[in-house]
Amino acid sequence: MVVHTIKQNPEPWYREGLRFECVQCGRCCRGQGIVWISPEECNTIADFLGVSQDVLIREYLLECEHGFVLRDHLDMSCVMLQGDRCIIYPARPLQCRSYPFWAEILESRESWLSEASRCPGIDRGRMWSFREIRERMLR
Ligand code: SF4
Ligand code: SF4
């Protein structure tokens, strides 16, 4: 007789929490790919900078098939990076806010440790609980 079992979702491997503490090196703001901006984030960032949506779009964003992304400086760093400082830090987009707790980075312990070669804050410093990680992913 064949016994069919329902495959349970395995517990996330990071159930016991993860260590992460940003050391403010700014690497994730330099040449690390595109940063998506939702329409709501367009409003938030424009308000934060005190500019109109038109100015924000013209000077800071690029329009793609699927929405807006932040422009880069010529050296491939994010347009919002000035020196070592993000000029929209309190209003930065979810993609930045939730890093490094992204689904693809949290896929496995190996992918988490692999990301550590790009982010020196991974696997060091403060311990984030499972709940905090999930909240951070959504905020
Ligand atoms: S790469 Fe990591 S440690 Fe460096 S600024 Fe980004 S989040 Fe912080
Ligand atoms: S918006 Fe700020 S935190 Fe996000 S990539 Fe640009 S400079 Fe870095």
Side-chain angles (χ1 to χ4, degrees), residues 83-102:
D84 284 335
R85 195 176 73 88
C86 170
I87 60 170
I88 58 164
Y89 194 78
R92 67 198 186 286
L94 174 66
Q95 186 177 330
C96 308
R97 199 177 289 276
S98 58
Y99 182 82
F101 302 128
W102 295 352

Side-chain angles (χ1 to χ4, degrees), residues 29-96:
C29 307
R30 294 187 178 93
Q32 293 292 324
I34 56 179
V35 179
W36 291 96
I37 306 290
S38 70
E40 296 74 31
E41 288 171 337
C42 279
N43 286 330
T44 305
I45 294 169
D47 284 352
F48 184 81
L49 290 174
V51 300
S52 67
Q53 292 259 351
D54 285 349
V55 168
L56 181 77
I57 291 168
R58 193 172 62 239
E59 296 189 6
Y60 297 98
L61 306 183
L62 286 174
E63 189 164 12
C64 308
E65 194 184 342
H66 301 294
F68 289 105
V69 300
L70 288 177
R71 287 177 184 268
D72 284 336
H73 292 300
L74 287 176
D75 66 357
M76 302 299 289
S77 62
C78 174
V79 68
M80 297 299 180
L81 193 66
Q82 288 191 4
D84 284 335
R85 195 176 73 88
C86 170
I87 60 170
I88 58 164
Y89 194 78
R92 67 198 186 286
L94 174 66
Q95 186 177 330
C96 308

Side-chain angles (χ1 to χ4, degrees), residues 20-29 99 118-121:
F20 166 66
E21 192 161 316
C22 179
V23 298
Q24 317 258 312
C25 68
R27 264 190 231 173
C28 55
C29 307
Y99 182 82
R118 284 178 280 276
C119 169

Side-chain angles (χ1 to χ4, degrees), residues 9-20 98 100-113 122-123 126-138:
N9 265 348
E11 286 274 286
W13 65 271
Y14 53 92
R15 185 89 215 176
E16 299 305 315
L18 289 171
R19 289 196 183 280
F20 166 66
S98 58
F101 302 128
W102 295 352
E104 63 266 36
I105 297 174
L106 293 177
E107 197 173 308
S108 65
R109 174 125 202 108
E110 291 67 35
S111 52
W112 173 252
L113 292 177
I122 286 180
D123 231 25
R126 135 138 150 79
M127 176 67 86
W128 292 68
S129 70
F130 176 70
R131 188 169 158 199
E132 287 177 308
I133 292 167
R134 297 308 278 252
E135 283 172 359
R136 184 77 175 236
M137 289 170 84
L138 298 172

